[in-house]
Amino acid sequence: MNYHNSALTVVTDEVRPAALRWRSPSNIALVKYWGKYGDQLPRNASVSFTLQGAATDTTLHYGPRKSVGTGVAVQLYLDGKLEPKFTERTQAYLERLLPVYPFLRQLEIRIDTHNSFPHSAGIASSASGMSALALCLVSLEERLFAPLADRAAFYQKASYLARLGSGSACRSVYGSAAVWGEVPGLNGSSEEYAVSVADQLHPVFQTYHDDILLVSRTEKAVSSRAGHGLMEQNPYAAPRYVQANARTREMLQVLQRGDTERFGQLLESEALTLHALMMSSQPSYTLIEPDTLHVINRLRQFRTETGHPVYFTLDAGPNVHLLYPDTVGEPTKRFIRDHLLPYCEDRMYLADRIGSGPEQLEVNETTVA
Ligand code: DP6
């Protein structure tokens, strides 16, 4: 897919200042993307559930730029505060998109962004943040030029642009569940963008909860970017990629069948494999903490005692995600309150669930620059 288009330039005088706004959710990988090459292409396929509550609300304000330079003129505000670090990253990202959207040089851009989860929660905002921004950009293209062929083309382009910002973000543009990477037998699947697999979910998975236990809210010591880089020299990398591709295929079958037990086995092995890869990198590092293991052990005990299909996964950090169907919601919430909160920093956890995907919102007057 080549989205490069040098024809997408505007007549600056004709651009009226205006804004666009999208709310886009985070996602939790069931089979993990860990290792990349080239221009943000994944070393293996991955599959995720899209969340509902954890999301980024982004408003993109634009107007004509008085004197057009070579770079992009952008300022990024997080919760109303100008953020020089995020501004720099966003500028670099938008400049990488210039072959796709040359008009970005001709605009003055201000981005107002707000996460639904507290910054101090230690939850990564790159998937929700980059997908929200990518959706704003494709909406902007449609507004300045012409609508894309259809909604499928719109989301595919948004997923492609989100991927260039952060790999996992490409899966967040679809509700329910998405796959990124080439999967034999999955029509349209690609390394360049994610595809929706919402229509393949057995009803039991449509009710899934994801409760995020905040074991530690300290910022992680090694970024995902650095972690992906370390995979290039990891002795287990090659078999890992083979395993992850096979697991993505199997996970899709499991999601169709409604097999909550096999789902849990794959889910937990994926989480531990991700962290085993970090531990076997050179240099080695660990992101899990003692309380991460306490939670895991206590959960295993709960499962043995009750038989409830409650399983864990981990992101690139110490926090534990508990995934379970709504049918066991009540005993699971009670178990979390009574037995797991002591392992959480300030007894905090975020109750989330599988979600319906991004939505475009009305621009709120108070956020207009
Ligand atoms: C462990 O998408 O954050 O969450 O592409 O460098 O931005 P970049 O990395 P990122 O990596 C996420 C890795 C993961 C697993 C996953 O979401 O698939």
Side-chain angles (χ1 to χ4, degrees):
M1 175 56 68
N2 188 354
Y3 283 114
H4 292 197
N5 187 353
S6 57
L8 294 183
T9 55
V10 289
V11 178
T12 326
D13 290 345
E14 291 174 4
V15 177
R16 295 265 160 81
L20 285 153
R21 181 176 173 204
W22 276 87
R23 178 187 192 273
S24 188
S26 185
N27 69 78
I28 180 69
L30 312 173
V31 175
K32 311 290 181 183
Y33 145 59
W34 200 242
K36 61 178 165 179
Y37 72 100
D39 204 3
Q40 289 268 102
L41 297 168
R43 287 285 186 195
N44 62 260
S46 57
V47 52
S48 57
F49 279 166
T50 306
L51 299 183
Q52 182 61 30
T56 301
D57 181 339
T58 293
T59 305
L60 185 147
H61 308 271
Y62 62 94
R65 190 172 173 188
K66 281 153 209 98
S67 59
V68 174
T70 48
V72 171
V74 62
Q75 287 192 314
L76 187 132
Y77 289 76
L78 176 64
D79 299 330
K81 205 173 136 255
L82 181 64
E83 286 281 344
K85 200 175 78 189
F86 291 138
T87 293
E88 209 175 293
R89 270 192 224 159
T90 307
Q91 185 183 1
Y93 168 64
L94 296 178
E95 287 175 358
R96 279 181 60 210
L97 299 189
L98 283 172
V100 178
Y101 286 152
F103 65 86
L104 291 172
R105 275 176 56 233
Q106 303 176 285
L107 304 176
E108 194 97 48
I109 298 169
R110 169 184 160 144
I111 297 167
D112 266 293
T113 190
H114 171 74
N115 295 323
S116 65
F117 43 91
H119 179 63
S120 60
I123 304 274
S125 58
S126 68
S128 54
M130 293 312 305
S131 56
L133 178 54
L135 287 156
C136 285
L137 291 171
V138 186
S139 285
L140 179 59
E141 173 192 345
E142 289 199 318
R143 189 180 278 181
L144 296 177
F145 302 94
L148 296 186
D150 53 30
R151 290 302 83 191
F154 177 92
Y155 285 105
Q156 180 173 304
K157 192 160 187 178
S159 180
Y160 172 95
L161 297 181
R163 181 201 103 226
L164 294 173
S166 177
S168 55
C170 73
R171 297 184 309 240
S172 272
V173 307
Y174 301 106
S176 193
V179 166
W180 175 32
E182 270 169 37
V183 179
L186 182 63
N187 248 341
S189 61
S190 167
E191 290 189 330
E192 295 187 283
Y193 43 79
V195 293
S196 170
V197 287
D199 58 349
Q200 304 199 16
L201 280 201
H202 183 279
V204 72
F205 288 114
Q206 293 166 13
T207 74
Y208 256 58
H209 290 252
D210 177 2
D211 286 346
I212 310 167
L213 303 169
L214 304 175
V215 165
S216 167
R217 300 188 272 140
T218 323
E219 211 162 303
K220 59 188 172 197
V222 181
S223 69
S224 284
R225 183 172 301 254
H228 288 291
L230 287 170
M231 279 300 280
E232 291 305 298
Q233 301 302 325
N234 190 301
Y236 303 108
R240 161 60 192 163
Y241 301 141
V242 173
Q243 176 193 56
N245 285 326
R247 283 179 165 179
T248 300
R249 284 197 300 277
E250 189 184 353
M251 185 57 96
L252 284 173
Q253 291 161 4
V254 163
L255 293 177
Q256 285 172 4
R257 265 204 323 271
D259 184 345
T260 56
E261 193 175 324
R262 183 65 188 145
F263 171 84
Q265 288 165 358
L266 285 171
L267 187 79
E268 295 193 346
S269 179
E270 272 300 297
L272 296 174
T273 301
L274 170 69
H275 285 264
L277 290 166
M278 296 172 191
M279 292 182 211
S280 53
S281 294
Q282 223 29 275
S284 153
Y285 65 107
T286 43
L287 295 182
I288 50 171
E289 306 220 347
D291 281 338
T292 311
L293 294 176
H294 284 134
V295 167
I296 290 173
N297 289 337
R298 193 62 189 79
L299 172 69
R300 285 177 166 156
Q301 191 188 334
F302 172 74
R303 223 163 41 220
T304 310
E305 286 163 9
T306 63
H308 294 329
V310 186
Y311 296 90
F312 72 85
T313 188
L314 305 164
D315 243 335
N319 299 329
V320 185
H321 292 242
L322 294 194
L323 272 68
Y324 56 91
D326 198 46
T327 44
V328 297
E330 216 186 282
T332 306
K333 296 275 184 207
R334 205 174 325 119
F335 163 66
I336 291 173
R337 265 197 320 271
D338 295 348
H339 299 283
L340 300 185
L341 288 190
Y343 301 118
C344 300
E345 204 172 322
D346 299 330
R347 298 178 65 85
M348 258 186 65
Y349 85 103
L350 301 177
D352 212 333
R353 57 197 307 158
I354 191 164
S356 52
E359 21 166 13
Q360 186 165 11
L361 303 175
E362 291 294 312
V363 175
N364 179 341
E365 286 308 312
T366 59
T367 63
V368 173

